Amino acid sequence: RMLNEYTPARERYEQALELYQSIGARLGEANCTRALGDVHRMLNEYTPARERYEQALEIYQSIGERRGEANCKQALGDVHYMLDEYAPARERYGQALEIYQSIGERLGEASCKQALGDVHRMLNEYTPARERYEQALEIYQSIGARLGEASCKQALGDVHRMLNEYTPA
């Protein structure tokens, strides 16, 4: 999957999923199901991606795997965002954010705040977008996530530009 070889990735995940299901390994089943959702999302196949994420979410919730639950909710937010469904995207990102904060997952927290900033920006809500990007930026800087830091700075520049604040941009 990391090499963008989605057909063989899908085949391997499906094989692993069958094995996990046959031995009753629910966490492995959930992880493979979520990974299949990722493959579908990367191929812009949003309906099957959503279905896989919903399936994985149900498993994660049933076994009490909070990080997996948050990851699925964030991925569902991504699907909604890609489909320009901003209200449900905001809801899913908010749900994931709450879980990430409760389990102390700082990178997940930052990425959800950044995603919420993206939703606000798409809705021309520039003040809350700026606030979310600044919150995410602070976390990215504190944990040394340079790519997240750079993307937040770029998004903040875009917000300033949209507000005709050219010097800060």
Side-chain angles (χ1 to χ4, degrees):
R1 187 183 71 174
M2 300 305 286
L3 296 172
N4 300 325
E5 297 173 358
Y6 298 119
T7 299
R10 183 187 330 232
E11 291 169 4
R12 294 293 188 197
Y13 286 132
E14 288 173 351
Q15 291 168 355
L17 177 60
E18 286 180 28
L19 290 171
Y20 284 126
Q21 289 171 328
S22 73
I23 62 172
R26 299 289 284 164
L27 181 58
E29 180 182 351
N31 289 338
C32 282
T33 302
R34 190 188 79 224
L36 284 164
D38 293 341
V39 169
H40 286 296
R41 184 169 45 108
M42 299 307 285
L43 294 171
N44 301 323
E45 299 169 355
Y46 298 120
T47 299
R50 185 185 329 232
E51 291 168 1
R52 291 294 191 169
Y53 291 139
E54 291 286 355
Q55 293 167 357
L57 176 60
E58 186 177 307
I59 298 168
Y60 285 128
Q61 289 173 326
S62 74
I63 62 173
E65 173 52 47
R66 301 284 286 158
R67 178 177 286 155
E69 180 182 350
N71 290 340
C72 281
K73 288 182 177 188
Q74 184 175 7
L76 284 163
D78 292 342
V79 169
H80 287 297
Y81 182 84
M82 295 298 205
L83 294 171
D84 300 328
E85 300 169 353
Y86 300 121
R90 183 187 324 227
E91 181 179 341
R92 288 300 192 172
Y93 290 140
Q95 293 168 349
L97 176 60
E98 287 179 22
I99 296 170
Y100 286 133
Q101 289 173 323
S102 74
I103 64 174
E105 176 58 48
R106 300 286 285 159
L107 183 59
E109 179 183 351
S111 66
C112 279
K113 287 182 176 185
Q114 182 178 357
L116 285 164
D118 292 342
V119 170
H120 286 298
R121 189 176 56 166
M122 293 305 293
L123 295 172
N124 300 322
E125 301 168 353
Y126 298 118
T127 299
R130 180 185 353 221
E131 290 168 4
R132 288 299 191 174
Y133 290 138
E134 288 171 350
Q135 293 167 357
L137 176 61
E138 184 178 313
I139 296 169
Y140 285 134
Q141 289 172 328
S142 73
I143 63 175
R146 304 282 288 161
L147 181 59
E149 180 181 347
S151 64
C152 275
K153 287 181 177 181
Q154 180 178 4
L156 282 165
D158 291 341
V159 168
H160 286 298
R161 185 175 44 79
M162 298 306 287
L163 293 171
N164 298 320
E165 301 170 354
Y166 300 113
T167 300

